[in-house]
Amino acid sequence: MAQDNFSQVTEFILLGLSDTRELQLLFFTLFLLAYSMVLLGNLLIIVTVTTDPKLSSPMYFLLCNLSFIDICYTSVTVPRVLVALLSGHKAITFEGCMAQLFFLHFVGSSEMFLLTVMAFDRYMAICRPLHYTAIMARGACWALLAACWVGGFIHSIVQTVLMLQLPFCGPNLIHSYFCDVPPVIRLACADTALTEWLMASNSGLISLGCFLVLVASYVLILAKVRARLSQGHWKALSTCASHVMVVTLLFLPCIFTYLRPAGALPTNKYVCVMYTIFSPMMNPVIYTLRSSEVKESMWRLWKR
């Protein structure tokens, strides 16, 4: 059948995490609490880093941008989820669904690239301290940050264009609480095998590639400092440990979700909670509790 004979779906229904009203109220409370922590925690980090001249190193510059990305990332999905849980209105327009998909992958992949840059920053600071200042100058940091956003945009536009090429003519029930590639592509009225492999190669390989680069950087750091664990190196390893926690919470669920064709296995919508809500919520907690400089700066800010 030709694609022109399909009647285009104008809206989708997001089924959410549960149909039970009691569970919906529970999820609303948990999501609202998590979103509030994301906003307050990351805004506090941004204000602290931007107002304290002592936190001008590349690590804190990148941390400030990570906090900004986390706010954007959770704001793509969580506010709409909260409205749907409270009001019961689960419909989303086709255009709104595609826009949500685009911005989710745009900001999400930019965060993956930024975490990779942060791992490179830690590697240079620990393993190449004499060259660190020259390599991680402020101009280089801005260039790396711009590369993260450009890479995220290219990835996202490819995903969105592939989705817009598909016809959607009948089913419109999305078994998730937000629009993403795996649940939406299953509703297409066409053979999506090739598109699924292309998208898995795009999203999945980006997630796996960044994860492997991160793991490799931390292995090199451990190999470098294992023989000279002075107090300064223990502090560096503590910082790396917090990065590993963030990486694990973000990358492993993404690899599980995207590194396979969408029709291979059903997507676990509860796994999606890990990288859309839980990981951004943990970032400010991990970084502030593991960094004495940030905590001291926050205390000075509070006294002012």
Side-chain angles (χ1 to χ4, degrees):
M1 183 181 295
Q3 181 173 333
D4 294 339
N5 294 333
F6 289 112
S7 58
Q8 182 74 16
V9 169
T10 59
E11 69 175 17
F12 294 105
I13 305 298
L14 298 169
L15 297 180
L17 295 172
S18 175
D19 292 329
T20 306
R21 188 56 182 169
E22 290 76 12
L23 286 178
Q24 289 178 350
L25 294 176
L26 175 62
F27 286 132
F28 172 83
T29 303
L30 294 177
F31 279 32
L32 180 61
L33 178 61
Y35 188 52
S36 300
M37 292 179 63
V38 170
L39 292 181
L40 295 176
N42 286 293
L43 283 174
L44 180 59
I45 290 177
I46 292 173
V47 172
T48 301
V49 173
T50 54
T51 56
D52 193 339
K54 294 183 179 181
L55 300 180
S56 59
S57 67
M59 181 180 73
Y60 294 115
F61 171 79
L62 297 174
L63 174 60
C64 181
N65 284 278
L66 177 65
S67 295
F68 174 73
I69 287 180
D70 279 334
I71 292 174
C72 297
Y73 185 52
T74 53
S75 298
V76 173
T77 57
V78 177
R80 185 173 186 85
V81 174
L82 293 175
V83 172
L85 288 171
L86 198 60
S87 66
H89 181 69
K90 300 181 178 181
I92 183 172
T93 64
F94 178 85
E95 293 78 10
C97 184
M98 293 298 107
Q100 188 179 65
L101 186 149
F102 170 81
F103 285 108
L104 179 75
H105 282 265
F106 177 32
V107 182
S109 56
S110 299
E111 177 168 1
M112 290 185 178
F113 295 138
L114 180 59
L115 287 170
T116 308
V117 171
M118 293 177 71
F120 173 75
D121 170 76
R122 290 298 85 207
Y123 169 79
M124 294 303 302
I126 296 172
C127 300
R128 298 288 187 272
L130 298 179
H131 303 88
Y132 177 70
T133 304
I135 294 177
M136 296 301 294
R138 183 50 61 99
C141 291
W142 278 109
L144 290 170
L145 180 63
C148 293
W149 284 105
V150 171
F153 178 80
I154 294 174
H155 158 74
S156 185
I157 201 69
V158 170
Q159 296 285 91
T160 308
V161 168
L162 288 173
M163 290 296 295
L164 291 174
Q165 300 301 312
L166 298 175
F168 296 91
C169 60
N172 67 339
L173 301 179
I174 298 178
H175 293 273
S176 184
Y177 57 91
F178 63 98
C179 288
D180 198 6
V181 171
V184 175
I185 199 173
R186 295 192 184 97
L187 305 180
C189 303
D191 182 7
T192 61
L194 178 59
T195 305
E196 289 179 28
W197 279 108
L198 290 173
M199 291 185 169
S201 300
N202 189 356
S203 296
L205 290 182
I206 286 177
S207 302
L208 180 61
C210 290
F211 180 70
L212 293 178
V213 171
L214 286 160
V215 171
S217 67
Y218 294 129
V219 169
L220 291 174
I221 290 173
L222 289 174
K224 184 71 174 179
V225 304
R226 65 179 180 177
R228 46 193 178 94
L229 290 178
S230 62
Q231 183 178 1
H233 287 102
W234 276 118
K235 179 182 176 181
L237 288 177
S238 177
T239 302
C240 290
S242 65
H243 290 193
V244 171
M245 294 176 65
V246 174
V247 165
T248 303
L249 290 173
L250 176 64
F251 280 88
L252 292 186
C254 288
I255 292 172
F256 171 79
T257 301
Y258 297 113
L259 195 60
R260 55 188 172 86
L265 291 171
T267 303
N268 190 326
K269 52 192 175 184
Y270 295 102
V271 172
C272 299
V273 176
M274 292 293 295
Y275 62 85
T276 57
I277 298 176
F278 191 70
S279 177
M281 180 186 68
M282 291 301 297
N283 280 353
V285 176
I286 291 172
Y287 282 109
T288 54
L289 293 181
R290 304 291 293 185
S291 174
S292 59
E293 291 90 345
V294 175
K295 288 188 290 186
E296 291 172 1
S297 180
M298 286 181 177
W299 177 244
R300 289 194 297 268
L301 181 64
W302 172 260
K303 289 193 294 185
R304 288 204 302 267

